[in-house]
Amino acid sequence: MPRSDVPFYLMLLVLGGVYVVLLVGMLAADVVYMMTSDGTDTFALPAWLEWARVVLRPVLGMLAALGKPEIQYSIKLTMISCFFTAILSVLVAVPLGYSLSRFRFPGRTLLDAMLDIPIVLPPLVVGLSLLILFQFWPFNLASGMVVYKIPAVILAQFMVAAAFAVRTMRATFDQIDPRPEQVALTLGCNHGQAFRMVAFPLARQGMVTAGTLSWARALGEFGPLLIFAGATRNKTEVLSTTVFLELSIGNLEAAVAVSLIMVLAAMIVLVIARVWGTGSLGRI
């Protein structure tokens, strides 16, 4: 007789459940902290909503944070920098992912490993390496326009986020059957035309997924920004550095409120990525 599967299911539940419980508990702790905090008691509510103030405290905390000019600036810069990071990441991820998936060339394995370096390196090291890079020619010619300025924010985010986009695009092209491209070649197309008319349209869903993942990764980037772009208020401040700056002045409630804003934004983007990646809301 086959042995019972109960121990196997219990093992899956316990080992996987530990991480899920920690993840949910971490997010719930932020919400509970805001609900028990009295820092939003001065936030004006309509009289008919006063009874729900305790429940609405996390939302009120986020609204109070959104009302600060410096946080409005950081949200605006975050949205802009993440948008350009996502675009740039997809621009480099498509040719790299396609080349690694379709061609065999000398140094391919080395290139494949190098593209994972930003994923495995500590983020601070990425920022420090960028800072050192811009001390040498020809990058030092643009140092005054990049380092500790807004372009540094985008470049620091891009250096990490692009690695995730490349992985996504390579997996996308690996899953696309190369035979339609081979048929296009036999019908007279060159490699460029076969890519443009066959592979590129089929990879559209993967490009959206790569872009959204890059956007989400850029949203949470902090280490390279701190080293390469700095954390100057109303200049290079994005949401991740806002959390650091609010913590540095002891404003824990504002830091948690901004964290909840980031969690909410990341969840929206990741749900979009899942919808485009699976093609169905029901699979989320």
Side-chain angles (χ1 to χ4, degrees), residues 71-268:
I71 294 181
Q72 289 176 2
Y73 177 87
S74 74
I75 291 174
K76 184 179 174 183
L77 181 57
T78 300
M79 296 299 114
I80 293 172
S81 64
C82 289
F83 173 77
F84 281 106
T85 297
I87 297 294
L88 293 172
S89 297
V90 173
L91 279 176
V92 302
V94 170
L96 281 171
Y98 183 77
S99 301
L100 290 170
S101 176
R102 290 290 189 272
F103 304 122
R104 300 292 181 268
F105 51 87
R108 177 176 172 274
T109 303
L110 179 62
L111 175 63
D112 196 19
M114 282 181 59
L115 291 172
D116 283 338
I117 287 177
I119 297 175
V120 299
L121 274 182
L124 285 172
V125 174
V126 176
L128 180 61
S129 299
L130 280 171
L131 196 60
I132 298 299
L133 174 68
F134 273 80
Q135 294 183 6
F136 293 95
W137 188 89
F139 297 95
N140 59 351
L141 301 177
S143 177
M145 296 182 293
V146 176
V147 180
Y148 298 125
K149 299 189 184 303
I150 289 177
V153 174
I154 298 172
L155 185 56
Q157 291 175 336
F158 165 74
M159 287 306 297
V160 179
F164 292 89
V166 171
R167 288 296 124 206
T168 304
M169 288 314 304
R170 178 174 178 181
T172 298
F173 286 117
D174 282 344
Q175 293 172 4
I176 295 175
D177 190 347
R179 281 178 294 183
E181 295 172 65
Q182 294 165 0
V183 171
L185 291 174
T186 62
L187 293 176
C189 291
N190 58 31
H191 283 285
Q193 290 171 323
F195 169 76
R196 180 168 54 83
M197 292 190 288
V198 180
F200 189 79
L202 292 174
R204 186 172 49 210
Q205 198 173 63
M207 284 187 275
V208 174
T209 303
T212 49
L213 287 177
S214 301
W215 193 96
R217 189 68 187 86
L219 176 72
E221 207 52 64
F222 172 69
L225 299 180
L226 189 63
I227 300 294
F228 188 53
T232 309
R233 288 229 120 135
N234 295 319
K235 287 187 178 178
T236 57
E237 181 184 3
V238 291
L239 284 173
S240 57
T241 48
T242 297
V243 174
F244 170 75
L245 291 171
E246 294 295 340
L247 278 174
S248 66
I249 59 174
N251 193 352
L252 185 57
E253 290 177 7
V256 175
V258 174
S259 300
L260 289 175
I261 292 172
M262 294 177 68
V263 169
L264 189 62
M267 287 182 66
I268 292 171

